[in-house]
Amino acid sequence: MEPLKGLLSTLWKALTDQPDPKAPFLESIPEDYRSLASAVLSVAPILMVFPLLFALTTVLERKGLGRIQNRLGPNRVGPAGFLQFAADGLKTLTKEDVVPRAADRVVHFLAPIALVIPVLLTFAVLPFGRNLAPIDLDAGLLFFFAVSSATELAVFMAGWASRNKYSLLGALRAVAQMVSYEIPLVLAALSVVMITGTLSLSAIAAAQSPTPGSFLAPWYVFTPWGLMGFLLFMIAACAEANRSPFDLPEGESEIIAGYYLEYSGFKFALFFLGEYLGLFASSGLAITLFLGGWNAPFAFMQGWLPSWVWFFAKLATLIAVFIWIRGTLPRVRMDQLMGLAWKFMIPMTLLTLVAAGLWHRLPSAPLRWVACTALLAGAFLVLGRVLMPRTRHGRRVYRYAD
Amino acid sequence: MEGGFIAMPTDVILWILGGLILISAVMSLALRNLIHCALFLMVCFLGLAGLYLHLNAVFSGLVQALVYVGAVGIILIFAILLTEGGGTETGSHLGSQWRTGIGLAVLLAFALLGAVSNSPQTTQAARHTEEPTVREIGLKLMTDYLLPLQTIGLLLTAAAIGAVVLAMQEPKPRKDETP
Amino acid sequence: MTFYLALSVLLFCVGLAGVLARRHAIMALIGIELMLNAANINFIAFWRHSSAADDLSGMFWMIFSVAIAAAEAAVGLALVILVFRHRRSVRLDELESLKG
Amino acid sequence: MTGVLDILWLIPALPLLVSAILSLTPARVKGGAAPLSIGALGLGFLIACAALAEAVSDPGQVRAHNFTWFEFGSSAVKIGWVLDPLSALMLVMVTFVAGWIFVFSIGYMSHDENFTRFYCFLSLFTSAMLGVVMSNSLLMLFACWEVMGLASYLLIGFWHHRPSAAAAARKAFIYTRIGDIGFLLGMLWLYAETGTLLLYDNGAGCLEANALTQLAGAAISTGMAASTGIALLLFCGAIGKSGQIPLHVWLPDAMEGPTPVSALIHAATMVAAGVFLMARIHPLSTATASAKPIVTATAPANATAQSAQPAVRMEAAPKSQAHAEAAAKPTEAGGDSTSSPTLTLNVMAWVGALTALLASLVAVAQYDIKRILAYSTVSQLGFMFLGLATGGPAVGVFHLLTHAFFKALLFLGAGSVIHGCHEEQDIRRMGGLWRRMPATFGTYAVGMMALSGVPLLFSGFWSKDEILHSALAWSGSKWPFALGLVAAVATAFYMTRQMAYVFFGPHRGHPAMYEQGHRIPVTQPHESPMVMTLPLGVLAACAILLTVVGTPMWPWLHSVLSGHAPEVRREVSVGVLFAMLISILAAGTGFTAGWICYMRRRASGFNDGDPLQTRIPSIWRCLESRGWIDELYKMSFGIWTAAAGRFCDWLDRIVLGGGVRMIQNAALATAWMGRLWDEFFLNGGFARGCEQTRNSADRASLVQNGQIQRYLRILAGALALVALWIIWK
Amino acid sequence: MVPRVILGGGIVKGMIETARNFVGSYTDASRLTTVEYPEQRIPLHANARQFPFLVFDGTDPMAGLRCVACQICEKECPPQCIYIIKDSVKKPDYLGKMQMQPKVFDIDLSVCMSCQICVEVCPFDAIKMDTEFELSNDDRFAGLLVNKHQLAKPNSHFARIHPAEAAEVDGRLAAEKAKAEAKARADAEAKAKAAATSPPPAGNPSSSPPPKS
């Protein structure tokens, strides 16, 4: 019974932002299992919360898209359709797991696992609440990117192992896309690192907590370079997670279903789990870096709700935005995708870095606001001009057959 | 990943990591199918990353993971695919005088192991200093090691551009090869 | 400490054996990568067991060697692809024409 | 106004800058050339006026501004410029005349495609001339002197597509170069003696007292004073540049260049540079052991080498008595000093007189309008040297100034005539132009009267009268005076001849170019446009107004040049009146003779001979062919050098060439022997040796047969051996 | 709104549009056009059509069948999905006239493309378009081959699904029927009159001609 009571008090301490929430539970655990218990204690909530969130998101997504398209969305299973994920889950579990004969059995089997593991690892570093960061690594951000870069390998394994031209094509497209969007992703995050000076995510989140006196919380998104960095980070995250405008690899119309073509049943669900968890991880990172992690938007609201509530509220809004984007934007062509990454995103992120430097160096507030905004707006327009389709409505020229 | 992550004695972890690294290294060189070799190489690199983390060199472990597993792995696989290595190799995948090669390698192994076993260095106990923070690394990198950093930067850009230029050239249709 | 040295030696020799034995150019590159990593192990091991507290040279050696290895891998693979395009094969024992 | 000295360097610098700019502008860009150069000169003229005002305000004082050009070792070469009445006057004159000549050449050269290049050379020339005029160091003077020579070469040979112009340019350049050798030697000698080439340098300059006494004192083996020797050598340079007797032949041929060039270079400025040079170094030529130091100057020590020399303020001690006394009372007997004139002045006088006479005589027999003026210039220069030698610098410079104006006027008038008659230069083709070109005729008449010395109204009369008077009163010998008188008569004569031929009588233009297949009818000679006649008018006005400066009653110029305030003098000595009477007589005889010969019996056709020719055919032929001096030179020097050239060629090709060939053959022989030895004796043995090495090499080449893995194996083997060796050592 | 010239301009306009839809779907009920299908149904439009069916009058399907097996529809059907075999036995139609009738009348619904050409060409308004679409079954081939009995449906059904068209058809048929009867009556009267006047002498043909029918 002792451990149960410890667990409850730990839960309470965690939910109410108290320092070192694990202490009560760990005391109740015999000495030599303590480190194992603490590990389990920090992993368990992640494994419970985020797959659940994944489930909810699938439903929310379908309902949201429905609503956007003037229809109801699933409302059969459960109250207003919210048990739909259970139905889907059950379906994937019961579905026959077909493995193509020509497939490379081992790699085919490993691929979904190799995809999900790194994504789950990325959650280890995200600070969900004031002291709810599972592992507070000094090089947290580096860990995040190191691990998330492994997903490309898994995607390739999936695509290649199923021995199918379309899936290989989808996999290579996905890898190319993820590789070329990783650079802007890292660079966008870099500007925040430059300002805060540390790589550890909890320090970054702490740096954005509002001082009691001020009105607006000092989130980085409220600075010009922060806003631009946030936008670029979101676009890159969108591409990294192969979602909405950038879901070329699974372009149903062109190559049927991309790299998870030859998967069915639970492995297929794992891919989706991986994709959505990747989405949550990168939006979690975006929140930590730009939207002030677990801080309240305004100083006076800081005390109202526990910190993790803010984190998940922001996560919810970001997910809503992703769904919203998915409902609106058509798929991007491959060369436009690459063009956007190399011609627009990377220059813009470098410029955001410059703007951040400028922001850091310029003393007076109005001056640095004007300078940074001017720099970024100018760059955005110029680089934008490069990408905008040049519609020259010249005078109509009539040519008659002579 | 702090030292002694799980209550198990540390050298058990060492042996596991060591074994993992060596086995995957051997497998990555022995298998016929190139892609498998590449994947095993990735496993070996991850093992190494784990080893560095175990040695409290967190930054280098993560760099190893990021650079090797993230970047080099992908290039390797792309290269394999581009050189039609996808399928399993026909015929013997071992070079002509592979026996002398492996013999020499074994000879070298014994020589170096001999050297390692009786060198005075090894008797010193492992010292557990706290791992350097990223800020320290950054500062030292920017101050004491600025020149190597810049040269490495230059080298990397040169390599990147060089690789692109090399790989971009269209193959000239050779005389004996029907276009 | 001996564990690390032994591990790096073995890894080095495995890499060497791979390079010497295998016919495929890319396998040679993989062998080279292994040898480089063997060296890295020593760097970190000696850095960890070195006396000086704040001397991070071992770690920097490792980081720079990783960077160089990555650059080398990129260029090496580009060359292999180029060779493949020219010679239609990447067997090392077939690539022996010393002509231009 | 003390600042004028500092900005004096702008006067030559501006035209130089303009010439640089124009040299860069493409030929087709015509717009900028003229205004730029005229603007530069106009600005120069203003500064020159300011400088003149300052110089005149305190004539005695010599203001020099020296600075170090470059150092070599301990000593430094210092150059700089000087502002004294002489240089100020010359600056004003050059900028003024050149300015109007530029205006004139806008019209004259308007349809020439190398318009910009023309102005570029003109500006270059003017800046060089201004450089000469104001330079305070002989070295700088010599440099500008050479640039002037170059510019004259370029301008004479401006229409280089015409072979005659190119030849004339080369000829001019070579003859002036011969003169310049003398100049250079003089400078070197001067530098050797005094150690500085600066003229005025707070007492250390070579024209200052202690340098002069030192020079006068130093005598060379033949007993001649160093100063005289140097002066003579410098005079050689002057002879070459101003076209005096031995080296005068290039000047008439220099008429090949465009007329404004002749006007500017061969009338007003360049040729005058020789006279100016002798005027500038006059103290040197008159320095005798006994003479007291001419100019003493006290000035603060030189400033440091780098920084420009502070303007040198010299309170001029009263000029040496002799000099002042001569200037003050030009009329007094004895132009320079009571004692007999030094050798330099003698030579100068005789050369001047002879040139004047010979040139004026030759001018009588010329048919080309510009050649007549050229010879007249030579003779007038002779007069100037005569005046310089006998009456001191003031007399010479006064005639130089007046001559500059009316000779430029005459040349421009000639140019306007040529332009009017469509490039016709032979006076036998002209005639009757006074009705068709009234403006040109009027101004040309003024210039003619000034040149030939029509009394009272015209400045030419006064300046020539000065010279004749000083020649008469010269203590040296009376003969130069006689020669000068005859020359004056001849001058009047040939000018009237020219007027008669050009402006009076029937128009002897080409009868009808029309029939000879030229579709365009030959329009009658027409008056030149405003841009050409305006300068003529201005110069004509000046030719008249200049009298104000130099009449005996108010010798403003003489007193300014001799360094003390001008004052009006009522009484005029008997000698002066006598000299005036003589010169009026001379001019009169010249006119009447010219009138008789040419005015009454108008030459109607082109080919009916010159009246004079009929009377004195042999002398006429001699004069017309310019006294065969060209042929003389050709015969003497020409042949010499040709012969010397041939001899050297023979020497080089036969004697030396032969020797080289012999050595060559010897080398070949030895090579052959070496080959034979090597072929048979060495190779045999050696070849076998090579075989062995090649075989062993084959085996060794296995190491490099392209098998990468073989290389790696060898590498690994070596590594293993080394490791083993290290461990088990 | 946001000028399209800036890079994100188009995206923002699009997002606002979808947001308006999203919000609208909650506030403005008319937007949600879909209904819970099996439970609620959207009333079909008048001219809705799925697959043809045969109309029969009266109560007995086979007897009242209007189709006279003239096979025009079979010939005209573009995908040739109608298959008719004439029946040797005739039966009276609505006018009592003896007409043929189809022994076999099959339509392969999986082939039929519901182009309604058969309805247009049928002179006897025997075939109309039904609105029944829930025809899914597990036999891909035979399941959708419907025969005469399955096709036959009463005129009342036709009236229910296409009221206007049914009314028009019925009106036309009734009119024809009335005309036919009137003619029949007229013939009958003429015969009766002829019978009555035949006893008097056959001779006065000049009496007034028989009344015009």
Side-chain angles (χ1 to χ4, degrees), chain B residues 33-114:
Chain B
N33 184 329
L34 283 176
I35 298 284
H36 289 175
C37 300
L39 293 180
F40 269 105
L41 189 67
M42 291 307 125
V43 169
C44 173
F45 288 153
L46 276 178
L48 279 170
L51 195 71
Y52 297 148
L53 292 183
H54 181 69
L55 274 167
N56 261 341
V58 175
F59 186 74
S60 47
L62 294 182
V63 159
Q64 159 94 0
L66 180 68
V67 168
Y68 276 116
V69 175
V72 174
I74 296 291
I75 312 174
L76 201 62
I77 283 174
F78 269 56
I80 291 169
L81 287 181
L82 280 173
T83 50
E84 284 161 6
T88 53
E89 241 166 294
T90 54
S92 131
H93 58 285
L94 297 175
S96 49
Q97 294 161 324
W98 60 278
R99 284 172 198 76
T100 49
I102 293 181
L104 274 173
V106 166
L107 176 70
L108 188 65
F110 280 117
L112 292 178
L113 278 179

Side-chain angles (χ1 to χ4, degrees), chain B residues 14-15 18 21-22 25-26 28-32 34 37 41 44-45 48 51-52 54-57 59-60 63-64 67-68 72 75-76 79-80 82-84 89-90 92-96 98 101-102 105 108-109 112-113 116 121-122 124-129 132 137 140-141 145 148-149 152 155-156 159 163 166-169 171-172 174 177, chain C residues 1-7 9-24 26-27 29-31 33-34 36-41 44-75 77-82 84-88 90-91 93:
Chain B
L14 270 185
W15 285 103
I21 292 168
L22 276 180
V26 167
S28 77
L29 288 169
L31 291 180
R32 301 182 77 87
L34 283 176
C37 300
L41 189 67
C44 173
F45 288 153
L48 279 170
L51 195 71
Y52 297 148
H54 181 69
L55 274 167
N56 261 341
F59 186 74
S60 47
V63 159
Q64 159 94 0
V67 168
Y68 276 116
V72 174
I75 312 174
L76 201 62
I80 291 169
L82 280 173
T83 50
E84 284 161 6
E89 241 166 294
T90 54
S92 131
H93 58 285
L94 297 175
S96 49
W98 60 278
I102 293 181
L108 188 65
L112 292 178
L113 278 179
V116 160
Q121 263 297 343
T122 55
Q124 195 189 15
R127 177 182 46 72
H128 282 295
T129 56
I137 296 172
K140 200 168 270 297
L141 203 58
Y145 293 88
L149 183 71
I152 286 288
L155 181 102
L156 283 175
L166 283 178
M168 205 167 57
Q169 285 156 353
K172 292 191 301 304
R174 289 190 15 256
E177 183 192 75
Chain C
M1 184 59 181
T2 54
F3 170 81
Y4 298 109
L5 294 182
L7 180 68
V9 161
L10 286 175
L11 197 62
F12 183 81
C13 292
V14 165
L16 186 64
V19 164
L20 296 183
R22 285 298 289 255
R23 283 192 345 169
H24 200 282
I26 292 192
M27 292 319 290
L29 281 175
I30 289 181
E33 287 297 325
L34 279 178
L36 283 169
N37 278 301
N40 288 349
I41 297 176
I44 296 295
F46 278 106
W47 168 67
R48 164 55 60 208
H49 295 287
S50 74
S51 56
D54 62 355
D55 169 18
L56 299 174
S57 54
M59 184 184 266
F60 285 136
W61 270 95
M62 180 266 176
I63 290 169
F64 288 143
S65 99
V66 161
I68 294 173
E72 174 269 337
V75 173
L77 290 170
L79 283 173
V80 164
I81 293 169
L82 206 60
F84 177 78
R85 285 220 184 109
H86 265 289
R87 293 282 183 275
R88 269 288 160 270
V90 241
R91 296 278 186 288
D93 38 25

Side-chain angles (χ1 to χ4, degrees), chain D residues 574-596:
Chain D
V574 170
V576 168
L577 286 180
F578 175 69
M580 253 193 281
L581 189 65
I582 294 171
S583 52
I584 293 167
L585 271 178
T589 46
F591 276 124
T592 46
W595 183 268
I596 295 162

Side-chain angles (χ1 to χ4, degrees), chain E residues 53 129-132 153-163 166:
Chain E
F53 73 99
M129 294 305 276
D130 197 347
T131 54
E132 172 63 33
K153 292 213 171 102
N155 192 14
S156 58
H157 170 69
F158 179 45
R160 190 163 46 73
I161 53 175
H162 301 305

Side-chain angles (χ1 to χ4, degrees), chain A residues 63-65 67-72 75-76 321 324-325 327-329 340 344 380-381 383-385 387-388, chain E residues 4-8 10-11 14-16 18-19 21-22 24-26 31-39:
Chain A
K63 285 202 77 63
L65 289 181
R67 281 293 170 178
I68 284 177
Q69 293 150 8
N70 289 343
R71 55 183 175 77
L72 285 180
N75 56 5
R76 285 282 181 200
V321 165
W324 184 12
I325 290 175
T328 332
L329 299 179
L340 181 69
F344 176 74
F380 183 81
L381 284 177
L383 288 169
R385 173 102 353 257
L387 279 178
M388 288 294 285
Chain E
R4 292 183 64 81
V5 74
I6 301 181
L7 181 61
I11 295 176
M15 300 282 273
I16 293 164
T18 41
N21 275 346
F22 184 78
S25 68
Y26 285 105
R31 278 178 177 275
L32 294 180
T33 53
T34 55
V35 293
E36 299 291 334
Y37 165 63
E39 292 82 10

